[in-house]
Amino acid sequence: MNPNLAKLQPYPFEKLRTLYAGFEPDAALSPINLSIGEPKHPTPEFIKRALTGSLGGLASYPPTIGSIELREAIAAWLVRRYGLSKIDAATQVLPVNGSREALFAFAQTVIDLDRGEPPLVVCPNPFYQIYEGAALLAGAAPYFVNTSAERGFAADYEAVPEAIWRRTQLLYACSPSNPTGHVMPLDEWRRLFELSDRHGFVIASDECYSEIYFDEEHPPMGALQAANRLGRSNFARLVVFSSLSKRSNVPGMRSGFVAGDAALLKSFLLYRTYHGGAMGPAVQAASAAAWKDEIHVRENRRLYAEKFAATLGLIKAPLVAGMPQGGFYYWMKTPIADTGFARELYRCRNVLVLPGSFLARDAHGGNPGANYVRIALVAPLAECIEAIGRIADFSNRL
Ligand SMILES: Cc1ncc(COP(=O)(O)O)c(C=O)c1O
């Protein structure tokens, strides 16, 4: 067996099952699950129609590069959304079967084990666990850069020693961040691009929450947008990962894209050709329709904004949580250890949340997720209000 498989950690939801095992919730209260970041708003009808209207394509193998119609729809979206001066649908855009598989597969394309020193993959901490698994199965080691409330949840790249940067081949960024909701501003991107220029590492920017935000006038900045603003219009060593799962409420469709540096995408396409990463033709047609429409995305945002507006005021000391800049999570500070908090909340109030320490690793003297829980506002409005009310009341009586 590949010995690197043994290095993989159990997924956070497995840890959650273990944490709750043997504890019975109060059956008088309806269960509310806010632990999983799975969108639950209905899939728009026009996307379903585009999917079922394209079943004719099932009779042939789709090319891995995807249809030009889909790549052009994505390129046009990128130009509209991020004001890019140009992006080439032929060489700088590649459809993928959701951003998760692509975030994983990309590391397998980038990591070079013959470059001398053992390779490192820099990840924010807390983080989306796929980055770690991708690094480990590519034969690299993750290097965690902590984020903290004191720094507004920006990763502290200045604390990374030169010797680490020298070994770094890939860096994952996540903006808006899962779980903290932090959005990277232009200055943070500028600094990362400088570091990438100096040390030659590739930046993989995970932007799957980019369309969940609360100020229609100020959508989160994306990495391609930052590069474009800074005159880096060839996107050297930069690739972004985007997804329809959250934007269009189609997590089951498995549809996203990768865009950026043409040379990196050429190698990634080669890798995917062998890996077998082509997107089915019906999904391609439905995806093109979804990327062309913004009306349903605005409505989706409105539903999340409504839930945050209705619950933010219920969060009081000893709890601490603010509005995220993007995404659909509260990253909530807990008055007791996050694991005990989550377990007792389940037992006494039948509400499931995810302990923050499950989303982070011990690094540089602590686990930056400890004493936080991640709360996904994915349930219907009334359930979110009920859940946050129960959490507030539970915390008051601790
Ligand atoms: C930070 C982050 N990146 C990527 C993904 C993967 O999303 P998908 O594969 O549905 O595009 C998720 C899903 O929850 C996520 O939270």
Side-chain angles (χ1 to χ4, degrees):
M1 291 294 280
N2 180 344
N4 289 329
L5 280 167
K7 298 180 186 167
L8 298 178
Q9 294 240 3
Y11 217 60
F13 306 113
E14 258 176 82
K15 292 186 182 174
L16 196 65
R17 270 193 292 279
T18 310
L19 179 73
Y20 292 149
F23 289 85
E24 284 304 319
D26 182 347
L29 292 166
S30 57
I32 306 178
N33 187 353
L34 303 181
S35 67
I36 301 179
E38 183 183 15
K40 295 252 188 275
H41 300 158
T43 298
E45 287 302 320
F46 79 92
I47 299 181
K48 293 186 197 168
R49 276 198 304 276
L51 189 75
T52 52
S54 308
L55 297 178
L58 294 180
S60 35
Y61 275 116
T64 308
I65 195 169
S67 69
I68 189 64
E69 290 76 20
L70 174 56
R71 281 178 288 131
E72 277 174 354
I74 294 169
W77 180 80
L78 283 166
V79 168
R80 273 199 315 278
R81 170 67 172 82
Y82 295 120
L84 304 184
S85 38
K86 63 174 169 40
I87 180 124
D88 181 8
T91 60
Q92 293 180 306
V93 175
L94 193 57
V96 295
N97 298 310
S99 55
R100 178 182 183 139
E101 63 93 355
L103 286 159
F104 176 82
F106 188 64
Q108 320 312 311
T109 318
V110 167
I111 297 300
D112 176 358
L113 297 176
D114 296 326
R115 242 202 255 167
E117 292 188 284
L120 292 173
V121 174
V122 169
C123 304
N125 192 29
F127 62 103
Y128 180 52
Q129 193 157 314
I130 299 303
Y131 313 154
E132 181 187 54
L136 292 170
L137 286 178
Y143 181 89
F144 295 110
V145 182
N146 289 354
T147 68
S148 64
E150 291 72 45
R151 296 175 40 81
F153 297 108
D156 190 4
Y157 294 119
E158 301 314 315
V160 177
E162 279 290 305
I164 296 295
W165 286 129
R166 270 203 302 277
R167 289 171 53 196
T168 301
Q169 293 189 11
L170 176 62
L171 177 146
Y172 284 104
C174 185
S175 178
S177 154
N178 171 6
T180 68
H182 171 71
V183 169
M184 289 171 65
L186 190 62
D187 277 349
E188 246 181 282
W189 285 116
R190 183 186 284 113
R191 183 67 187 127
L192 270 192
F193 295 152
E194 278 166 16
L195 287 163
S196 161
D197 287 348
R198 183 133 59 90
H199 301 286
F201 60 78
V202 171
I203 300 174
S205 176
D206 178 354
E207 304 183 357
C208 79
Y209 293 92
S210 68
E211 302 317 289
I212 313 298
Y213 54 88
F214 310 100
D215 179 352
E216 289 291 327
E217 301 305 309
H218 298 99
M221 169 166 281
L224 296 182
Q225 182 180 19
N228 189 61
R229 288 234 192 125
L230 297 170
R232 304 169 65 92
S233 52
N234 65 348
F235 311 124
R237 273 172 272 99
L238 174 65
V239 166
V240 304
F241 297 74
S242 193
S243 170
L244 287 175
S245 299
K246 278 90 179 166
R247 175 189 186 273
S248 299
N249 293 307
V250 284
M253 195 162 82
R254 313 312 300 130
S255 179
F257 70 79
V258 176
D261 186 320
L264 287 173
L265 287 195
K266 193 169 172 215
S267 303
F268 193 37
L269 175 60
L270 174 65
Y271 178 89
R272 297 180 67 73
T273 306
Y274 280 81
H275 187 69
M279 182 187 283
V283 173
Q284 290 197 51
S287 303
W291 287 115
K292 284 179 190 166
D293 183 76
E294 290 301 325
I295 296 169
H296 75 287
V297 193
R298 275 197 292 277
E299 171 59 11
N300 190 30
R301 276 196 291 275
R302 192 189 65 73
L303 295 175
Y304 286 117
E306 199 177 28
K307 295 182 204 176
F308 279 100
T311 53
L312 188 63
L314 304 175
I315 302 170
K316 304 219 165 67
L319 297 170
V320 185
M323 267 305 280
Q325 290 173 289
F328 48 55
Y329 301 109
Y330 277 126
W331 184 234
M332 185 182 276
K333 198 153 171 46
T334 55
I336 58 169
D338 55 316
T339 42
F341 183 90
R343 194 180 50 219
E344 286 306 291
L345 180 66
Y346 169 65
R347 198 173 64 80
C348 305
R349 302 302 167 103
N350 214 350
V351 176
L352 287 169
V353 298
L354 193 62
S357 57
F358 292 179
L359 293 165
R361 298 285 175 263
D362 274 323
H364 320 294
N367 181 319
N371 291 325
Y372 282 90
V373 288
R374 192 191 73 177
I375 300 173
L377 290 196
V378 289
L381 174 65
E383 274 188 39
C384 287
I385 297 173
E386 168 71 20
I388 301 294
R390 286 190 208 170
I391 295 171
D393 188 57
F394 165 78
S395 307
N396 267 334
R397 290 162 197 258
L398 277 173

